[in-house]
Amino acid sequence: MEPRNHGDSGIMNDPRITAYALGELEGREREQFERELAQSAQMQEELATVTQLTESLGKLPGNQEELESVQRATLIARCKQNQQARQRHKKIVREIFRFTLGAAAAIVALPVGFLLILLALAQFGVFIPIGSFGPGPWANASYYPGQDERGTVDQMAHAQPERLVAQAELLAANGVVVSPASEMFTNMTITVTNICITDTFVSEEAQQAPSPRSDALIAGADPSSPRVMRQRALKPEIAQQAALQSKVEQVRDRSAEWNTEGYNAIKENAFLDAKQNPLSTFSIDVDTASYSNVRRFLREGATPPAGAIRTEELINYFTYNYPQPTDSAPFSVNLELATAPWDTKRELVRIGIKGKALPPSERVPANLVFLVDVSGSMDEANKLPLLQRSLRALVENLADNDRVAIVVYAGSSGLVLPSTPGTKKHDILAVLDNLSAGGSTHGSEGIKLAYETARKNFLKEGTNRVILCTDGDFNVGVTDQSELQKLIERERASGVFLSVLGFGTGNVKDSTMELLADKGNGNYAYIDSINEGRKVLVEQMGSTLFTIAKDVKIQVEFNPARVAGYRLIGYENRLLAKEDFNDDKKDAGEIGAGHTVTALYEIIPAGQKIPGDPSVDPLKYQKPEPVASDVPDSGELLTVKLRYKQPDGDKSQLIAVPLPAPEQVRAFDQASTDFRFAAAVAAFGMKLRGSPDAGTITWDEILKIARGALGDDPGSYRAEFLTLVESAKKLSPATSNKE
């Protein structure tokens, strides 16, 4: 199926792009669209633009949050009337078409019969575009009595009043609703393109007015004519891209004034001498918040702050095709080596871990407590409403033997839903949907109550987890990070783990939320859309909720006979002392069922100089260290060691996997698809941070690598990555000169 274009402008007019951006495509329709998206650069660019515009409009201050009750009722009534009229028209079309075809066949006058169809339909206010015939003339026709412009529309929006109302409320929340007069809500077509966002409301008194899609529709008309006047009355200020862009820029300027988002400073890992520092130790990381947060910035047309760019989280946002473990270990360890794409004189080592996937029959029951921030700061469309939709998706996919409780906190905390079995999803959803925001943020009291609720309903043979949903803006009670850390560390000893879901913009406390998830034996994700909510809580439900190994640490020993120096890409806030590796009291990261974890090391081969290596005077009391050629060569480049504990265990277990040194290092373009894609994401993160270690690699080269390594891309997440690289390229000051 070819993507649809709008006229000769090259602008796409495929309503699925808008529906996909809003998270409304499901099932086979979504899969088909994603297959087309992966093959079409134009669709990818269009999707990025649509998402940016819809999210930018969502931040307009002072917008109407929902339709007035009379508007809602009128809209539903009118929509149902249209639906009934449409059904009548369908029946008429079928009868006329059947009769005309019979008559035409009898007199062998098909052209005449065809004209009779069009004339007959016109009598009933039904118009069928010439190119719409497929399985039948009624299959793709649009039936809108009183609306004189026909075109491609979202048929489902008009077949389902509830969905039409939802779209109307979306417009209302985004400040795009044309008029508060209820009679204006009769028919509505929403089209989002990179030219404009248009909305059509046709009242009975305005049936002759065209929808305000373009001034070209009425070019040459009398400026004082009712048609032109009506078009101007129907929100003309959003009909042009320039006006919309100006509006977005104003919002962006205003938002910068009150932005209080908090990020920890990150000092990138430097190259270390393999002789002086043969061991590299760090805790694994399964967080993905940085990627979706970076995506949010880029879609808004802004470069993310350096502290928001955690390269390891960008890499680990994607899943990789590592083999399942074949022994009793909860995960497999996979190593690969090739030249680095940003410097062919250096090498890149990939460490890939694959957690054991749990089939549904082996999945243990879950005791979940939703800890929901309902403070005043959550009273925005991309916070509490998005939170509710995301948790709804999770609840709808729970098993009957799972349990859910809901704790809320604002000025005070309360248990609004006691632990309820999955057989009563309706009760859970009713409480979830009824939440509203207001008050200050007493987060610490909410955390205590959530843990108390989880302990009270503890499942010894199950998973027990608190899911904290917040923007991280703790301003009452315990607000100091160190005190919050101590609180979480005390609570995790009970066997209840903590996951954190971040929402919203403007006051996101990223550093706080990352810390809480880290110390709570859980993971941290940032939800910027309902698609991301489904990805984290439905598609990756096993890895998000069901831990198969905790306190997972990695220690890599480098062979100085083969390696002069190395640097770990990312994981700056996960580094451990070498002594911590064997210390079972030292906390580390967790791996969920089916989860993949990837780490990259950049290697400087033996004999090459380490950049930035300062000269040191010869030591007086020690003998000089042997040169690399004097070090016994085992024939191995390095050895990767991992320590982990069972989810309910206290004693760690050890895995060791060596990486043999090849006679000839494989060229980068000969590496596996997953290796190349992970390297492209790493280069993207380094270049976005302005890292000198990115070398001379360009945005176009990153795009080329990623585009050639999409591989099997369920969900089209890798294809979406291409749009982010394009956005970063446009923001780069060097783009116009060098790329």
Side-chain angles (χ1 to χ4, degrees):
M1 181 177 179
E2 292 296 326
R4 295 171 281 243
N5 287 338
H6 183 62
D8 298 326
S9 64
I11 304 304
M12 305 196 70
N13 191 24
D14 189 335
R16 297 176 303 164
I17 294 177
T18 305
Y20 187 79
L22 296 175
E24 295 175 349
L25 289 187
E26 297 180 353
R28 293 183 178 179
E29 187 179 12
R30 176 185 173 93
E31 294 175 1
Q32 171 66 21
F33 177 80
E34 288 173 345
R35 284 193 292 269
E36 295 178 29
L37 181 67
Q39 301 299 322
S40 173
Q42 186 182 8
M43 290 180 70
Q44 294 164 14
E45 181 178 356
E46 184 75 9
L47 176 61
T49 303
V50 168
T51 306
Q52 178 179 337
L53 290 177
T54 54
E55 292 187 356
S56 296
L57 283 173
K59 299 175 180 60
L60 297 177
N63 292 328
Q64 181 181 349
E65 293 185 0
E66 61 180 13
L67 298 179
E68 298 175 4
S69 58
V70 64
Q71 293 175 336
R72 176 193 293 268
T74 302
L75 181 57
I76 293 177
R78 294 286 178 83
C79 183
K80 289 182 177 179
Q81 291 172 7
N82 290 346
Q83 186 177 6
Q84 294 170 358
R86 182 180 178 187
Q87 295 300 324
R88 291 196 300 271
H89 292 155
K90 281 186 178 181
K91 184 176 181 180
I92 293 171
V93 170
R94 292 191 188 100
E95 294 301 322
I96 294 177
F97 189 67
R98 185 180 297 114
F99 173 81
T100 306
L101 279 183
I107 63 176
V108 195
L110 290 178
V112 176
F114 181 76
L115 291 175
L116 287 175
I117 296 173
L118 298 182
L119 290 173
L121 291 177
Q123 297 300 316
F124 293 92
V126 180
F127 298 83
I128 302 177
I130 296 298
S132 68
F133 288 91
W138 49 84
N140 298 320
S142 303
Y143 302 91
Y144 300 106
Q147 183 175 337
D148 65 348
E149 180 181 313
R150 306 297 186 270
T152 302
V153 295
D154 184 355
Q155 300 285 358
M156 290 301 294
H158 295 271
Q160 299 177 6
E162 296 78 8
R163 181 165 175 183
L164 182 55
V165 171
Q167 289 184 313
E169 290 185 339
L170 175 65
L171 285 177
N174 291 338
V176 186
V177 171
V178 178
S179 168
S182 60
E183 67 269 13
M184 297 297 289
F185 293 90
T186 303
N187 294 324
M188 179 173 67
T189 302
I190 305 172
T191 302
V192 183
T193 72
N194 60 5
I195 287 183
C196 62
I197 295 182
T198 63
D199 44 309
T200 303
F201 300 89
V202 183
S203 66
E204 294 178 0
E205 63 180 355
Q207 290 182 0
Q208 301 303 315
S211 64
R213 293 190 180 180
S214 169
D215 289 335
L217 291 174
I218 54 171
D222 181 358
S224 62
S225 70
R227 291 165 64 86
V228 177
M229 296 298 291
R230 176 56 58 183
Q231 183 186 34
R232 290 177 178 170
L234 295 178
K235 199 73 172 182
E237 64 269 28
I238 67 167
Q240 300 297 327
Q241 182 183 15
L244 177 61
Q245 187 62 33
S246 174
K247 202 171 187 180
V248 172
E249 292 295 338
Q250 292 174 12
V251 174
R252 189 175 297 142
D253 292 341
R254 287 196 297 270
S255 66
E257 298 176 0
W258 52 264
N259 193 308
T260 60
E261 298 188 8
Y263 301 93
N264 284 329
I266 297 176
K267 183 180 179 181
E268 287 189 310
N269 294 323
F271 279 98
L272 298 176
D273 188 306
K275 295 192 298 294
Q276 299 178 9
N277 300 278
L279 297 176
S280 173
T281 310
F282 64 98
S283 164
I284 63 100
D285 184 13
V286 296
D287 295 344
T288 60
S290 179
Y291 182 88
S292 49
N293 196 23
V294 164
R295 177 176 61 199
R296 184 254 300 186
F297 276 101
L298 292 176
R299 285 178 172 175
E300 292 176 352
T303 301
I309 307 170
R310 295 185 287 274
T311 308
E312 75 279 3
E313 293 186 27
L314 305 187
I315 297 170
N316 284 306
Y317 180 83
F318 303 93
T319 57
Y320 301 96
N321 191 28
Y322 303 145
Q324 284 280 338
T326 57
D327 52 19
S328 59
F331 48 80
S332 64
V333 181
N334 310 274
L335 307 178
E336 188 173 357
L337 172 70
T339 57
W342 47 82
D343 190 336
T344 57
K345 295 181 180 179
R346 298 177 184 174
E347 299 164 2
L348 200 61
V349 173
R350 183 201 66 185
I351 302 172
I353 299 174
K354 173 69 173 181
K356 180 181 179 181
L358 294 178
S361 59
E362 295 183 17
R363 210 203 80 179
V364 296
N367 164 36
L368 305 178
V369 178
F370 297 162
L371 175 55
V372 181
D373 182 352
V374 293
S375 62
S377 66
M378 294 292 290
D379 192 16
E380 297 179 22
N382 59 1
K383 293 187 179 180
L384 184 58
L386 178 58
L387 180 161
Q388 290 167 307
R389 293 179 68 192
S390 299
L391 291 183
R392 169 178 275 274
L394 170 60
V395 170
E396 290 173 345
N397 284 273
L398 291 177
D400 290 348
N401 58 351
D402 295 329
R403 305 188 66 86
V404 170
I406 301 178
V407 172
V408 298
Y409 66 94
S412 59
S413 302
L415 179 66
V416 296
L417 178 73
S419 187
T420 303
T423 53
K424 297 183 178 181
K425 291 185 176 64
H426 182 271
D427 296 343
I428 301 172
L429 294 175
V431 173
L432 183 63
D433 292 343
N434 199 41
L435 300 179
S436 60
S440 53
T441 312
H442 203 311
S444 57
E445 288 303 313
I447 292 173
K448 292 176 182 177
L449 179 57
Y451 273 108
E452 177 184 330
T453 303
R455 290 195 302 270
K456 187 178 298 185
N457 300 280
F458 193 87
L459 297 176
K460 187 175 182 181
E461 301 300 328
T463 183
N464 301 273
R465 186 175 298 269
V466 172
I467 301 178
L468 169 61
C469 307
T470 179
D471 58 7
D473 190 11
F474 299 93
N475 50 42
V476 175
V478 178
T479 60
D480 180 74
Q481 281 199 4
S482 61
E483 291 301 316
L484 284 171
Q485 176 179 336
K486 293 177 183 177
L487 170 62
I488 296 299
E489 288 176 339
R490 288 196 301 269
E491 295 288 359
R492 78 181 182 208
S494 65
V496 178
F497 293 172
L498 174 72
S499 290
V500 180
L501 304 181
F503 293 84
T505 62
N507 62 339
V508 174
K509 299 301 184 285
D510 176 83
S511 56
T512 301
M513 291 187 284
E514 183 191 18
L515 175 70
L516 295 182
D518 180 21
K519 300 305 177 183
N521 282 0
N523 49 337
Y524 165 38
Y526 175 78
I527 309 299
D528 62 335
S529 67
I530 186 58
N531 282 340
E532 185 67 17
R534 291 194 184 105
K535 175 180 183 289
V536 172
L537 296 173
V538 179
E539 295 176 19
Q540 299 177 351
M541 182 178 177
S543 57
T544 300
L545 301 182
F546 302 99
T547 300
I548 59 173
K550 69 178 183 180
D551 292 340
V552 184
K553 311 168 192 173
I554 296 179
Q555 187 169 78
V556 182
E557 180 179 357
F558 293 91
N559 180 3
R562 299 278 183 165
V563 178
Y566 64 89
R567 73 178 185 95
L568 175 61
I569 298 177
Y571 293 93
E572 286 86 358
N573 57 359
R574 300 281 182 164
L575 299 180
L576 299 172
K578 59 181 181 292
E579 296 83 6
D580 292 336
F581 184 71
N582 293 324
D583 184 359
D584 282 352
K585 296 180 181 179
K586 187 67 178 180
D587 180 57
E590 284 66 45
I591 293 181
H595 208 110
T596 61
V597 180
T598 300
L600 297 176
Y601 278 95
E602 185 174 356
I603 303 294
I604 299 177
Q608 295 186 25
K609 182 175 176 57
I610 302 174
D613 189 16
S615 61
V616 179
D617 291 340
L619 298 178
K620 181 178 181 180
Y621 303 109
Q622 298 183 32
K623 294 181 180 181
E625 294 187 359
V627 297
S629 58
D630 296 332
V631 177
D633 186 3
S634 64
E636 297 172 351
L637 190 73
L638 54 84
T639 295
V640 176
K641 294 184 292 183
L642 290 96
R643 281 199 175 275
Y644 69 95
K645 300 175 187 174
Q646 296 294 335
D648 57 352
D650 296 320
K651 185 175 180 57
S652 67
Q653 301 178 54
L654 176 67
I655 297 176
V657 181
L659 176 61
E663 295 183 4
Q664 181 69 36
V665 177
R666 180 187 302 176
F668 178 76
D669 59 4
Q670 299 298 312
S672 68
T673 298
D674 282 347
F675 184 100
R676 288 182 282 118
F677 188 82
V681 179
F684 167 78
M686 291 188 293
K687 193 166 180 64
L688 197 58
R689 290 181 56 86
S691 170
D693 292 314
T696 59
I697 195 168
T698 66
W699 294 115
D700 286 336
E701 289 171 337
I702 295 173
L703 274 171
K704 181 179 179 181
I705 294 171
R707 190 172 285 121
L710 293 179
D712 184 20
D713 186 21
S716 296
Y717 298 114
R718 294 189 181 188
E720 180 195 53
F721 172 72
L722 301 179
T723 67
L724 300 191
V725 180
E726 290 280 11
S727 298
K729 176 183 174 181
K730 293 176 182 177
L731 292 171
S732 173
T735 296
S736 59
N737 299 325
K738 297 181 179 179
E739 301 176 35

